[in-house]
Each structure stands twice: as C-alpha cells, then as structure tokens.
Amino acid sequence: MASIDIQDIRKSFGAFSVLHGVDLTIRDGEFIVLVGPSGCGKSTLLRMIAGLEDVTSGDIRIDGKRVNDLAPKDRDIAMVFQSYALYPHMSVADNMSYSLKLRRTAKEKIASAVGGAAAKLGLDPLLERRPRALSGGQRQRVAMGRAIVRQPKAFLFDEPLSNLDARLREQMRAEIKKLHGDLHATSIYVTHDQIEAMTLADRIVAMHAGVVQQVGTPLDLYDRPANLFVAGFIGSPGMNFFEGRYLVSGDHADLRLANGVTLPVPRRAGIESGATATLGIRPEHVVLDAHGALEAKVDLIEPTGFGIIMHVSIHDVPMKIFTLDRAMLDPGPAVRVDLPQERLHLFGTQGQRVE
Amino acid sequence: MTLAAHPHAVRPLRKRIADASEPYLYSAPALILIIAVMLVPLVLGISYAFRDIQLLNPLSGGFIGLDHFRALSEDQAFFRALRNTLWWTGASVFLQFLFGLILALLLDKPFAGRGLAQALVFLPWAVPSFLAGLNWAWLFNPVIGPLPHWMHALGILDAPNNILSDPHLAMWGPIVANVWWGIPFFAITLLAALQAIPRDLYEAASIDGAGPVQRFLSITLPFLAPTIAITILLRTVWISNFADLIVVMTNGGPADRTQIVASYIFTQAFRRLDFGYASAIALVLLVLLLAYSMLIVLLRQTLLNKG
Amino acid sequence: MRSKPFLTVAHRLAILAYIVVALFPLFWLLKVSVTPNDLLYSEGVRMWPSRATFEHYTFVIAHSAFPTFFKNSLIVAGSTAVAVTILASLAGYALSRFRFRAKYWIVALMLITQMFPLVMLVAPIFKMLSPLGLTNSLTGLIIVYTAFNVPFATFLMQSFFDGIPKDLEEAAMIDGATQFVAFRQIILPLTLPGIAATLGFVFTAAWSELLFALMLISGNDAATFPVGLLTFVSKFSVDFGQMMAAGILALIPACLFFLLIQRYLVQGLTAGAVKG
C-alpha cells in the first residue's frame, strides 16, 4: 500500500483544458472519492493516476516516486472499470490471474492468490465460467477480484457501480466498504453519485469544471459546504437557495430577496452589508411549525415512503421541505415554517461560503 | 545506473520517442509494401506515358513528350472504348444497385432459413471473376448453353445464336455476367446499412399512421442515402477499371464493340507489349475517374450544405 | 406485426428467384461437367443428362497440368491471405487505436490505391520484378497480391478493432501488459471473426486474380488456376466437359472459404465499406 501525491496536475486536449491544476495528497490506506457531475475531469484525473492519459503538467507520485513517465504496467496499481473490462475469451480464474501470469509469478502463488480472492468475494463456484455466463453483479465481483489478487499499491475505481441496478448497487457498495475495511488499501473511487461518495469515502474530493471545489470528510461537505456548487451537489433532495442582498441593521442581518421579502440571517463577518448573497438551507432542516414565522404555499406533495418531500413556495420563491410527519401527506393549502438560524448557510457574491 | 542519475532528463525523451513511434511501427510493414508495389509503380507508370516503352524493342525507352497523347487524340478505337466504358459502367452499376437494393430489402425481413438463403444468394461473389466470365460465356454459347434457346423460345432472339458474337448485343453478355457477379456486393453493403436503422423509428412511424411506402420513403431511403452514395461512387470507379469479364468473354470483340478502356489498356500492354501507350491511356482514365469522384464529392457537399 | 399471407408468399418467391438466378450458372457448370461427350450436343438444354459421368474429372486430374495449377493457386492464395492478414491486423490496429500525425495521410494513400486502374501498374511492376527474378515466380505473385489486398483488408480489420472496447487493452496494460502484449493476448483473440473474414476475402481475391497472373507468369510451372484454365480454353476450346470440370474444381476452394466466412464478412464489411 502507498500514499499518492498529486501536485498541480493539469490536462489539456489540444487547446481544450480539462483540469486546471489539481493538488491532492492521499494517505496510505485512505479511501478517497472523486465526485462531480459528468465532464468535471474526475475520470481524467483517475486515468492520469493510472497512466492511461498523459500528464500535461504537474507531478504524480506514488509512494514518493514520480510516476509521470511510467507506463501503466510499471505503476503497480489496479483498476476497476465501469464496463468491468473482463477479458471475454478467458475464464474467471484466468481473468483474475492474468496480471500475475504477466509478472511470471509462481503457479502455486497464483493459485493461492486467486483462491483467496475468490473466497473473499464468493466467486469459488464461478471460477471456470466465461464472463458472458455471469450476471452483472457477478461480473462486478470478478472485476474486483482481478484487482485484489495483485495486492497493488492502490486501487482505482472508475464508476464501478453505474451499470448495476439500484438494489445491487446498494449491496456492492456495502461490500466495497467492507473489503476496504479488511484490506485497508489506498483507494481512489470516481463516481457522480453523491450517496456513494458519502457512504464510502474517508474523504471526498468534490470537483467541478476541472477544479477541486472542496476536500473533506463526508460530514464536512454536508455540514459546511465550501461553496454553492458543493452545497447543491451534496444532499438529496438538494439544498434550497434564496438569492438576495445581505443587509446589516444594528446587531442583526437580513437577506432581502428580489421581490422585497426579507429573511433574517445570522450576522457574518466575512461579508459586507449590501453585497449580493445566497442563503441556503437543506430541505430536512426546514422546521414545520404551526407558529412558524413564514407562510409557505403548498404546491406539490411527493411521498417517498420513508418520508415526504413537500414542494412549497415562500412569497413565490420555490422551496423543498423533507419531513417524516405523515400528517403532511394532506397539509392543506399552506403550512407555516421556520428556518432555524443555526441551520442556515450563507454564500457570498462569488458563491463562496461566508462564516 | 546512469539512467537513475538523471531520471527526469533522460526517460521522458526516450519515452516520448517510443510513444510517438509506436503507431508507425504497427503500420510500417503495410505502408512499405504499398509504397514499393503500388505507389512507386504508379509514378513509374505515369512516367511511361511520356516515354516510348516497348517490351520487345531494346531501342525503346526514350522520352517522347506528348506523342502518346497526340496519337491517343486521333485513336478512334480509344474513343469507341470510352463510349463503351460509359455504357458498360452505367448499365452495370444501375442494375447491380437496383437488384442489390431489392435483395437487401428482402433479406432485411426475418424469416426461417434466412442465414442459408443469404449464404446462397451471396455465393456468386465468391466465384472467381474469370470463372464467372467463362461460365456466362458458356451459358450464352448455343452449343452447350441454354440461354440462346430460351431467349429464342421467348421471342427475344430471332434465332438461337450467341449474343456475344452479335455486334449489336455483345455488350449485354459481360453486363449480365457483371450484374450477376456484383449484386451481392451491393446487397451486403445495403443490408448492413439497413440493419443499422433503429427499429423503433419504424414503429413510431407506423403509430403515426405511415404506410409501407411512406415508411420506405421517409425513413429507409434517407438513412440509406449516404451508404448508397459512397457505394455507387466506389463501385463506378471499380467497374470502369474492371476488365476481367470482358477480356475473358469477348476479348473486346466483335469488331471492338465490347472494348472498354480498361480492356483496351490490357490489350495494348499484353498483346502489343506497347507499355508506353498503355500507360498514356491509363493516365487519361485515371484523370477522368478522379474528375468524376471529385464531382460526386463536391455534389454531395453542396447537397449536404443545403440540407 | 400483422402479416398478410399474400405478401409473405410473394416475399418467399422473390427470395427463391434470387437463389435460382444466383445458383443456376453454377449448376449448369456442374451439369455439363458430368455430361458424357456423346450426350453433350444431343441433350444440350436438358436440365440433367440421362447418364452422368466423372470421366472429365478423372481426365483433368490425371492427364493435365491442373493439379500443378491447383497447387500453385493454393500456395499463392494461402500465403497471400496469411501475409495480408498479418500486415492488415497491425496497420488496422494502428488506425483504430492511435491518434498520430500521419494517420490522415496513410488513410488517404490507402484510399487512392483503391481508385486507380491497376492495369496501369502492369508494365512498371513487370519492369521492376524482372531484374529481381520475380517474374514467372510464385513469390513475385504473392508479393504483388499482398500489396494489392492490404489496403482494403486494413480497413476491414480496423472496423473489427473499432468494435472492441478500448477498456480491455487499458485493463490489460494496468494488469502489467505492454500495448503490444495487450494487442496479441487480448485484442487479437477477440478479433477472430475479423481475421477469418479477412483471410477468406483475401484468399478468394488472390485465387481469382487474372490480369497480373497472365502478365507475370508465362510457363505452366508457375501458372495459377485462372491462367491455366484460360490457356486451356484458348487451346482446346471444344472440350467443354473437361473445361467445366476444371472450373468446378477451381470453384470449390473459393466457395468453401466463402461459405465459412460470409457471416463475418457481412459484419465487417458493414462498417468497413461505409466508413472507408
């Protein structure tokens, strides 16, 4: 196992730039999730670490050794592909042992490595089958097995669960987490699914438009999103935003919306009075209270079984509320709500978090 | 160990060279062969057009400028061959395309035994061209072939004669053989293009109330159009260069009525061993074909831009 | 889909008509080849002779140079097919997987070779090969045929490679393979249908080639089947039974190859022909 050190990595295809200087230090044994919408550069970054894409500028170090110019085969990393990329003409056992054979490992060693990995993943009865004869979940497992047998310095995962149905994805997510608990292997996991990011990561790297937006533990990103992008990307249903002007009067502050309504906000040092700002609150943090300060017109009710997503509007500004209170299945034309001060997020003109 | 001393300076350069040369290493053997056996002879062949090259004449080989082209401009046989080429190519391509398209449409429908039927109707393509020529020459021969007798019985021919020796009908012989032999090529290409059309388009059109003819005109044809255009272009060029059938079936006769430019070149080179003159004719043919291809490509471009 | 019985019948009949037209000339070849000489003229238009014989075949095999022609053609077509497939696999892989500067020019060069009249090359190739002692030799023919067939075969192989996901090589390279090892051990085995199609296509083409064989080969010793058959035809143009027996023999390898690979050929030609 090894640490991975990324310094000011840039990537451009011709004149088109996809990564604008990424810095990241991954500790030995850490599980890092790169998350972001498609096209944000997360897969490119992963492929550069794997050696499948050239580095335009910057350095990548694995275990302290600069690997920019090493071929993928010399980097001692393993990768699980979204398509699994199992070799269709080889049996499961051959798929798993291919890397060891290429390294001319002794036969007995190969057998024990494959046996060990197969036992860990429950692949024993499938070893002689061809990938074609496997279900999606089984293929996924073989792809993992192929990575495990090598005991590489790091595991790279490129959206490995995207091709599975929801139920199986949940199950494999848990298995990956358990596996990481057993192996403590340095892992970098790319996904666009924020739930996968939240559940798996030791640390999440949120990316957007080729720039790292925030690096932190899942709860860091949930509780203290560094900017509007992270705030909107993490959490489901997504955070509610109100745009307006931040105005200080005396010892309290307000956000004045475009339609003239004012919402009280906590006073923050990082922002001038009169600046444009965005107020954010997660749907699950909005409090339904018969004596609440704000009236919300009910537009739509979406029951999810577990809870209820209410689409409401406050002075014509749309907002979502998540509640477990089944009485809200039939709330009437309007409800009263509170936006608790300690749950409010404030973002400045540039979208950055304001403390 | 010296490498390890300057890992940054040395390895990237070596790696860069290795990376950059890799695709060339893969393609080099094929390229070298093509250049040596096709491109160099092509350039030589073009130069022959301006030289006096006769295989059996050791004194030949001199540079004679445009003499061959001057001779060519007065060569009635060449102009007859040019007209014959138009007729041969036009009729062959049109009929191959028409019957190929029908066959492709027939094969596009699933039915029991389709695999076998497909293998059988495509079989003529595997028949060596010279053998296809001989085969049809024999079929047209009243001594052993049934065709003249059948055509006589149907009233197409006045007497069961060999059409290959009738100056007015002879060209139909190689054309029929060519159509028989070339239908599979069109059918295969068009069938492949047909099968690439998303099926739900047809379903959507049916739901919208389109009949079979409307579906063909509004979905099938537009989807096939690019394939049709490129296939016809390639095929036209190929068939105008294709002399095998004519050389085997009629050898240009009777009275040069089936002589096309490609077979005329062959006659000049092979029978009269006048390579210089043959190259001059070939060069003219090449220029005409290039002009034709350019015209088609330009036409297509304008049509695309309009669309 | 509802089906109208009338349309279904018409469809099957049309298919049948195509099959009959496609096979009839070959059937006639077979028929004449088994007709005894004395019945040839009296039973000219009968569908099958009242008495069949293999005497023409035995004569052709025992008393003519056809076995030599057959052997020569087999050597030429077989070697050409193997050589072309190797070269075209490598070049097709380069075109399919690498982005490099000369790619455009390579494709253009290969397309041009498909455009010009090959007859134009007869004279220069003859002049180039004769000082090397490669005229009147099977090796010369193999070299020429290989060059002629490489461009199309390259496009054919490229279209097969294009159909194989790039992930597989990347996985192999991460597993510890160089690109060439990944090509050999992972990609090539998956391209077997493409290799079969290319082999079959080139074999048939080389088996059939006439003009260059006529031009480059003069004696019987190195003559291929087309040359041999054509010489035979111009010399003994009345022995129809024997000629057709020889024709049937010439047809067998090409047709066998074709029937084996036609399914793959349709697959590969699709992409290749449309893109090329």
Side-chain angles (χ1 to χ4, degrees):
Chain A
M1 294 306 136
S3 61
I4 297 175
D5 198 15
I6 294 166
Q7 282 171 355
D8 196 26
I9 279 289
R10 289 164 196 276
K11 174 75 184 175
S12 37
F13 295 101
F16 184 66
S17 183
V18 278
L19 283 179
H20 312 274
V22 171
D23 289 288
L24 186 62
T25 302
I26 299 165
R27 290 185 291 273
D28 185 12
E30 197 173 18
F31 199 114
I32 289 283
V33 175
L34 304 179
V35 69
S38 56
C40 71
K42 57 191 191 299
S43 280
T44 308
L45 179 58
L46 189 78
R47 291 168 57 81
M48 285 163 84
I49 297 171
L52 298 173
E53 299 278 356
D54 284 334
V55 174
T56 305
S57 75
D59 282 336
I60 299 176
R61 288 193 164 73
I62 298 179
D63 228 1
K65 183 179 165 205
R66 186 173 177 275
V67 296
N68 284 35
D69 301 310
L70 284 187
K73 71 185 179 73
D74 301 320
R75 296 192 184 196
D76 196 15
I77 36 101
M79 183 154 164
V80 178
F81 289 78
Q82 180 177 358
S83 64
Y84 317 135
L86 301 181
Y87 312 127
H89 58 302
M90 295 185 188
S91 69
V92 167
D94 288 340
N95 261 285
M96 287 167 65
S97 58
Y98 183 62
S99 60
L100 298 176
K101 278 184 194 145
L102 283 170
R103 287 180 170 71
R104 304 191 197 291
T105 313
K107 276 225 169 65
E108 315 79 68
K109 255 187 154 171
I110 294 181
S112 76
V114 170
K120 205 168 262 159
L121 292 161
L123 290 171
D124 284 317
L126 307 176
L127 282 177
E128 292 313 312
R129 291 214 201 154
R130 292 283 169 93
R132 201 180 319 124
L134 301 178
S135 70
Q138 290 167 334
R139 286 178 203 186
Q140 165 67 46
R141 251 176 252 265
V142 177
M144 307 254 297
R146 191 168 66 178
I148 293 174
V149 288
R150 294 229 337 249
Q151 304 189 312
K153 287 192 177 135
F155 290 108
L156 309 181
F157 299 87
D158 190 4
E159 309 219 14
L161 304 182
S162 302
N163 288 356
L164 299 177
D165 64 43
R167 172 77 40 225
L168 211 48
R169 200 178 318 169
E170 226 168 70
Q171 185 190 335
M172 287 309 298
R173 200 171 70 205
E175 282 196 36
I176 291 176
K177 180 138 195 168
K178 195 162 138 270
L179 213 56
H180 182 250
D182 291 349
L183 301 173
H184 293 293
T186 310
S187 304
I188 306 178
Y189 186 108
V190 163
T191 180
H192 60 262
D193 179 2
Q194 52 106 11
I195 304 264
E196 275 174 34
M198 295 294 283
T199 50
L200 286 170
D202 290 331
R203 280 193 301 156
I204 294 178
V205 178
M207 294 181 65
H208 180 50
V211 176
V212 171
Q213 305 289 324
Q214 187 172 6
V215 182
T217 64
L219 290 183
D220 272 347
L221 269 71
Y222 181 81
D223 291 338
R224 297 167 47 80
N227 55 37
L228 276 175
F229 169 78
V230 178
F233 193 81
I234 301 287
S236 171
M239 190 183 277
N240 298 302
F241 294 115
F242 302 93
E243 282 170 40
R245 198 169 283 279
Y246 176 80
L247 296 170
V248 179
S249 54
D251 58 349
H252 68 277
D254 287 307
L255 188 79
R256 186 187 296 276
L257 307 187
N259 60 10
V261 178
T262 57
L263 299 172
V265 294
R267 273 204 66 169
R268 296 276 160 87
I271 184 167
E272 305 263 320
S273 180
T276 54
T278 304
L279 179 69
I281 183 163
R282 297 196 181 277
E284 55 270 40
H285 294 153
V286 179
V287 175
L288 289 156
D289 182 348
H291 308 290
L294 293 164
E295 188 184 72
K297 192 164 92 40
V298 176
D299 298 325
L300 182 73
I301 298 293
E302 285 183 315
T304 66
F306 166 61
I308 298 157
I309 302 169
M310 307 172 69
H311 295 246
V312 301
S313 39
I314 295 179
H315 301 292
D316 291 333
V317 182
M319 183 176 86
K320 274 177 262 176
I321 305 171
F322 184 79
T323 175
L324 298 179
D325 181 0
R326 292 218 168 167
M328 287 302 142
L329 280 173
D330 187 13
V335 291
R336 294 203 74 84
V337 299
D338 263 329
L339 308 181
Q341 295 277 309
E342 70 279 11
R343 296 295 200 180
L344 294 180
H345 306 265
L346 194 62
F347 303 96
T349 316
Q350 310 299 324
Q352 79 287 9
R353 181 179 190 84
V354 177
E355 296 289 349
Chain B
M1 281 300 105
T2 46
L3 273 188
H6 312 278
H8 287 255
V10 179
R11 207 188 279 114
L13 183 67
R14 297 180 79 210
K15 181 180 148 60
R16 250 200 319 253
I17 292 173
D19 283 357
S21 62
E22 196 164 2
Y24 296 96
L25 292 179
Y26 284 97
S27 40
L31 274 185
I32 291 170
L33 195 68
I34 291 172
I35 290 171
V37 184
M38 299 188 81
L39 206 60
V40 171
L42 177 67
V43 173
L44 272 180
I46 292 174
S47 82
Y48 285 3
F50 305 95
R51 291 166 62 189
D52 175 29
I53 304 260
Q54 297 188 27
L55 201 60
L56 295 183
N57 182 354
L59 297 176
S60 68
F63 184 78
I64 55 162
L66 296 176
D67 280 5
H68 285 315
F69 296 97
R70 247 170 251 129
L72 196 57
S73 70
E74 286 157 15
D75 185 350
Q76 287 309 312
F78 168 71
F79 287 105
R80 208 163 34 234
L82 210 54
R83 279 195 298 276
N84 286 338
T85 304
L86 279 180
W87 176 225
W88 149 259
T89 310
S92 300
V93 171
F94 175 74
L95 293 174
Q96 284 184 1
F97 165 67
L98 185 69
F99 288 116
L101 178 63
I102 296 174
L103 179 56
L105 289 171
L106 289 174
L107 287 176
D108 193 37
K109 276 196 208 323
F111 58 90
R114 179 164 71 164
L116 181 67
Q118 186 172 309
L120 291 179
V121 292
F122 289 168
L123 193 61
W125 199 34
V127 176
S129 55
F130 73 94
L131 195 58
L134 285 177
N135 199 170
W136 280 95
W138 291 328
L139 288 173
F140 282 121
N141 185 337
V143 177
I144 42 157
L147 294 184
H149 304 282
W150 290 351
M151 285 191 283
H152 176 57
L154 289 173
I156 301 172
L157 289 181
D158 296 334
N161 292 329
N162 192 343
I163 64 163
L164 295 180
S165 48
D166 180 337
H168 298 288
L169 295 174
M171 189 56 114
W172 282 108
I175 289 178
V176 167
N178 195 10
V179 170
W180 177 80
W181 193 67
I183 287 174
F185 177 85
F186 270 98
I188 289 175
T189 322
L190 293 174
L191 180 60
L194 274 178
Q195 288 176 344
I197 302 177
R199 296 287 134 160
D200 45 1
L201 274 183
Y202 288 108
E203 284 158 23
S206 302
I207 292 168
D208 287 345
V213 178
Q214 279 166 311
R215 285 203 297 268
F216 178 78
L217 290 179
S218 62
I219 300 174
T220 313
L221 264 191
F223 262 90
L224 287 187
T227 312
I228 291 177
I230 195 119
T231 316
I232 287 189
L233 167 73
L234 291 176
R235 230 29 207 177
T236 308
V237 172
W238 197 87
I239 286 178
S240 24
N241 285 327
F242 180 48
D244 292 23
L245 289 176
I246 287 181
V247 167
V248 168
M249 291 177 77
T250 63
N251 213 349
D256 274 354
R257 281 308 179 108
T258 60
Q259 191 76 283
I260 61 167
V261 177
S263 63
Y264 190 55
I265 298 169
F266 185 71
T267 314
Q268 294 297 327
F270 182 64
R271 305 220 190 279
R272 294 181 42 197
L273 301 174
D274 188 347
F275 284 177
Y277 195 53
S279 288
I281 308 173
L283 191 58
V284 171
L285 181 59
L286 177 60
V287 169
L288 289 176
L289 290 176
L290 278 180
Y292 163 80
S293 309
M294 298 281 233
L295 193 73
I296 296 285
V297 170
L298 280 180
L299 212 64
R300 184 162 170 268
Q301 218 63 31
T302 11
L303 283 179
L304 279 183
N305 287 347
K306 257 190 212 159
Chain C
M1 282 274 172
R2 71 224 136 85
S3 59
K4 296 180 189 146
F6 166 73
L7 280 181
T8 311
V9 171
H11 176 256
R12 300 300 187 278
L13 282 179
I15 296 268
L16 192 67
Y18 267 99
I19 294 178
V20 168
V21 171
L23 296 187
F24 177 74
L26 305 178
F27 162 75
W28 201 259
L29 209 58
L30 183 70
K31 179 233 154 184
V32 176
S33 75
V34 297
T35 306
N37 276 337
D38 51 320
L39 296 182
L40 195 56
Y41 303 109
S42 55
E43 296 186 350
V45 283
R46 264 181 74 136
M47 278 300 129
W48 195 251
S50 50
R51 183 158 49 81
T53 171
F54 282 107
E55 64 190 35
H56 302 310
Y57 288 89
T58 48
F59 180 85
V60 162
I61 291 167
H63 299 289
S64 75
F66 274 105
T68 315
F69 301 155
F70 199 88
K71 194 191 76 201
N72 287 343
S73 266
L74 216 54
I75 293 173
V76 170
S79 316
T80 305
V82 171
V84 168
T85 306
I86 293 171
L87 296 184
S89 302
L90 289 167
Y93 185 70
L95 292 186
S96 168
R97 288 302 199 260
F98 292 96
R99 293 150 46 110
F100 56 110
R101 213 170 285 169
K103 183 165 158 177
Y104 177 84
W105 293 106
I106 293 177
V107 172
L109 174 70
M110 292 194 171
L111 280 180
I112 288 172
T113 63
Q114 304 296 293
M115 293 284 289
F116 61 79
L118 285 180
V119 258
M120 196 163 177
L121 304 186
V122 167
I125 285 183
F126 187 88
K127 283 235 161 188
M128 282 168 70
L129 289 187
S130 68
L132 300 173
L134 288 175
T135 52
N136 222 0
S137 99
L138 296 183
T139 318
L141 269 191
I142 293 170
I143 292 174
V144 171
Y145 288 175
T146 305
F148 286 2
N149 284 295
V150 157
F152 182 78
T154 299
F155 292 132
L156 194 61
M157 284 306 293
Q158 183 197 352
S159 76
F160 277 99
F161 288 127
D162 284 346
I164 294 177
K166 231 181 151 167
D167 285 4
L168 291 178
E169 277 131 302
E170 295 183 342
M173 278 154 71
I174 285 177
D175 268 351
T178 61
Q179 179 127 24
F180 188 68
V181 170
F183 168 64
R184 238 183 42 223
Q185 298 186 347
I186 305 296
I187 303 303
L188 268 191
L190 296 174
T191 330
L192 279 180
I195 292 175
T198 310
L199 276 175
F201 178 84
V202 176
F203 184 92
T204 316
W207 184 267
S208 317
E209 208 284 335
L210 175 66
L211 295 190
F212 280 80
L214 271 179
M215 208 56 214
L216 297 179
I217 306 289
S218 48
N220 258 357
D221 289 346
T224 54
F225 223 117
V227 179
L229 195 59
L230 217 59
T231 342
F232 192 81
V233 168
S234 42
K235 255 193 230 157
F236 314 96
S237 55
V238 283
D239 271 328
F240 286 110
Q242 285 167 24
M243 287 191 294
M244 298 204 189
I248 290 284
L249 291 178
L251 198 58
I252 290 171
C255 286
L256 273 185
F257 244 106
F258 177 77
L259 288 180
L260 281 179
I261 55 98
Q262 58 97 13
R263 200 159 44 95
Y264 305 124
L265 199 55
V266 176
Q267 258 177 39
L269 206 66
T270 325
V274 175
K275 245 185 266 154

